[in-house]
Every structure is written in structure tokens, then in C-alpha cells.
Amino acid sequence: MNDTTVTLVGNVATAVEYRDTVAGGVARFRFAVTARRWDRERGLWSDGNTSFYTVSAWRSLGANLAASVSVGEPLVVHGRLKVREEERDGQRKTFVDVDAVAVGHDLSRGTAAFRRAVRAEPEPRPEQDPWTVAAKEGTAVTPPLVTTS
């Protein structure tokens, strides 16, 4: 793959919107990244221009992100960069999106407490159930040995 991957450090600019889709759940939000430079003459940090990105996170990453992130929080976003152009109101506009692979709070600016997500056991599909497979094939299945101590 020749995807362009980026790592961005910035702040959540809009509320995270989560939707279920045919391809799985997706969370989307706008992300603001502002360049900061040290001004030697004044002895201060000065802000440069702010760039905005639309970040999309799919499936479990999206669900966990929607449950964990609020507007204004500092994040580190790593993902695939996508640039697209559209015509709106007779003007050509450029949009920059990031399909997130990993997202986390920027711990250089605060603390966080990690909680592992509890995942439900998926129900076995009929073709995965050993009893159904054995019945279709006409073979016997030995039940698992249960021991008590």
C-alpha cells in the first residue's frame, strides 16, 4: 500500500458524532492542529495557523472514541491521510480527512485512566457450531470433558 500516514497532535474541535452504518459503526469529529513556535525576540511561544481535519474512526475504535473524547481535549491521532476536492457554491474547495488507525489522549498535557473495553462473546454462527457441522457431515462429536475439583 502506498497510503500516506500521518500523526497529528491537536485538540478536538467538534463533538464526536457516532453512527452505525452497513460497514460498521463510525465516529467522526473535526480536529484542530495549531503550529507553535518559540519567538526568541519576545521570549514567548507564538501560535501559527490552525489546520482543521475531519477524523473518521471505524468499528471498535470509533465506539471507544465516542465514549472517551470530548470537545477541547488534546489528542494524538495516527491514520491515513485523504485529500479530496469538491465544488460547492461554484467554488472549488479542498478537504483533508484522516482515517484513524489509533487515537489517544496527549499525555504531555494531562493524565488519563485506561479502561479496557469489555467485548461481548459473539454468538456462534450455525456453520461454526461443532454440533451443526457434525450433523451435516454425519460424524459424531464427543462432548468436552468436564472435570470438577
Side-chain angles (χ1 to χ4, degrees):
M1 266 296 173
N2 288 328
D3 288 337
T4 302
T5 57
V6 294
T7 301
L8 304 170
V9 178
N11 294 297
V12 179
T14 63
V16 177
E17 295 178 13
Y18 182 81
R19 289 184 291 143
D20 283 313
T21 69
V22 176
V26 62
R28 282 200 173 90
F29 66 97
R30 296 284 285 161
F31 192 58
V33 177
T34 302
R36 297 200 74 184
R37 308 246 188 276
W38 179 253
D39 185 343
R40 288 185 190 186
E41 293 175 10
R42 298 186 322 171
L44 298 169
W45 286 99
S46 61
D47 289 341
N49 294 329
T50 301
S51 298
F52 289 90
Y53 303 86
T54 299
V55 177
S56 299
W58 292 88
R59 293 173 277 295
S60 62
L61 175 59
N64 292 341
L65 190 131
S68 304
V69 172
S70 299
V71 173
E73 292 183 349
L75 296 181
V76 177
V77 174
H78 180 75
R80 290 179 294 278
L81 187 68
K82 308 285 184 186
V83 179
R84 59 188 169 87
E85 290 188 12
E86 292 180 11
E87 191 166 323
R88 290 189 181 174
D89 303 325
Q91 292 185 336
R92 198 107 177 115
K93 296 196 177 219
T94 302
F95 298 92
V96 183
D97 303 330
V98 176
D99 283 339
V101 173
V103 178
H105 284 101
D106 182 355
L107 297 181
S108 70
R109 298 177 45 203
T111 63
F114 180 78
R115 291 176 308 279
R116 187 169 302 279
V118 178
R119 296 175 199 236
E121 281 290 319
E123 291 293 321
R125 296 191 312 255
E127 64 271 11
Q128 293 176 324
D129 178 26
W131 300 101
T132 305
V133 171
K136 284 182 182 176
E137 295 174 356
T139 59
V141 173
T142 306
L145 178 62
V146 178
T147 60
T148 58
S149 49

